[in-house]
Amino acid sequence: MIPTMKPFHLSNEEIIFWVTVLTAWATIISLAYTALTFRLKSGMQIRGSYGLVASSVSCNDGYIKSITLENLKDKAVVIYEICLRLASNCYLVLETLEADPLILKPFEVYTKEYDPVDFYGMSMKTLDLRPMFKAERMNKIRIVLSTGEGLYHVKQSIRIRRAYELFFKNYLTAIAQPIRLTHEGRAYGGNAIYLLELVDSKGEEACVPIYPEDYRVKRFRDFPLTRESLISRDSLEKYLQSKQEEGVLKCARLNVIDMQARREMLYADYNRNPIIVKPMSKIAHELIGFAYTVLGMQRTHGEIGELALGSVPSPCFAEGSGQL
């Protein structure tokens, strides 16, 4: 005989117990959510950081080159002035915003760059603040904000972690960055050999990139480019001027920019043999990289950058061939 399953049944006492438990948990979660919401909307919590130039060729005094503020609350903060408390007896005003207050929206980040100074002054008197900007005093400087709720001393700093920190922990970590040659804020790629600037009769400007194989395609609607015209900047300019005189290239002015010459000048300090970066497993990267880093530090005595990718043979960086 096959045994039959009895239907699941809860007594009234058990039902009341589980309803009470679920109600208690729902109440706890609701209270936690309410407390978190209240915490995000009450008071102020701003963290910030600043960049300091202790000395430069542009001015004798040190100066603040940048500041970053981050609102950690779910409420806007109105800021009327941004200062630095250099010491208990000295405050440096970075921005006075009474005419146009800064409204730092919830969870918003504000950043500002500053230019070098001529000098510091107070009531038509000149001040020398160089003792305030010494390296041993950097952890004593605080950001102070003038807000609608009074002065706010920024206690939390923004720790910006950069990818370069990974390289100094493990020399087998390649930190690559794209290098672009730009013209009027736009890049056209490493294969562009010329840029053709055109201005029509209405004063409207256009920029046309020219590539090595453009004689094979129809870059212009009314005429083709030739292989001979791409030999040099002068040959291309003469060719285009002739087309302009023939009336097939309709423009008021034209100018040819030699991108290859610009690259030769700007990238003169780059090594022309690219380093081939080979993929490594995580274990190999950690184990071999540890030994490689120790070896690099011993050989360079602190001058790690050049040796790490150059004079010490690397299992994941290999010399390649080709041109930048």
Side-chain angles (χ1 to χ4, degrees), residues 213-220 223-225:
E213 301 296 319
D214 275 2
Y215 67 90
R216 300 179 182 272
V217 299
K218 199 169 185 179
R219 174 62 66 180
F220 298 95
F223 66 93
L225 293 173

Side-chain angles (χ1 to χ4, degrees), residues 91-231:
Y91 286 78
L92 174 61
V93 179
L94 298 180
E95 289 189 70
T96 301
L97 305 167
E98 293 180 1
D100 186 17
L102 168 64
I103 301 177
L104 199 58
K105 298 177 182 179
F107 308 111
E108 185 181 23
V109 176
Y110 170 81
T111 184
K112 180 70 177 291
E113 298 284 337
Y114 302 105
D115 296 325
V117 302
D118 290 349
F119 60 89
Y120 296 102
M122 181 185 69
S123 300
M124 304 305 293
K125 296 178 181 179
T126 303
L127 301 179
D128 185 355
L129 300 184
R130 283 177 291 182
M132 297 291 183
F133 293 136
K134 291 183 178 179
E136 60 270 17
R137 300 202 71 262
M138 288 303 96
N139 59 348
K140 299 179 181 179
I141 297 176
R142 293 289 182 269
I143 301 173
V144 180
L145 306 175
S146 174
T147 71
E149 302 179 24
L151 292 179
Y152 179 82
H153 293 253
V154 178
K155 299 178 181 179
Q156 289 181 275
S157 61
I158 301 175
R159 176 71 188 277
I160 301 177
R161 297 187 177 274
R162 303 182 183 276
Y164 288 100
E165 296 180 15
L166 301 175
F167 168 78
F168 290 107
K169 294 179 181 179
N170 189 325
Y171 290 178
L172 290 187
T173 305
I175 309 298
Q177 59 180 334
I179 307 298
R180 297 182 179 94
L181 177 59
T182 61
H183 178 73
E184 302 292 340
R186 182 179 176 184
Y188 296 90
N191 290 337
I193 54 177
Y194 306 110
L195 284 183
L196 174 59
E197 292 182 319
L198 300 173
V199 181
D200 62 15
S201 57
K202 298 180 181 179
E204 296 182 359
E205 299 179 359
C207 191
V208 181
I210 306 297
Y211 298 96
E213 301 296 319
D214 275 2
Y215 67 90
R216 300 179 182 272
V217 299
K218 199 169 185 179
R219 174 62 66 180
F220 298 95
R221 181 178 59 186
D222 298 325
F223 66 93
L225 293 173
T226 63
R227 185 196 292 264
E228 292 75 17
S229 66
L230 301 180
I231 294 177

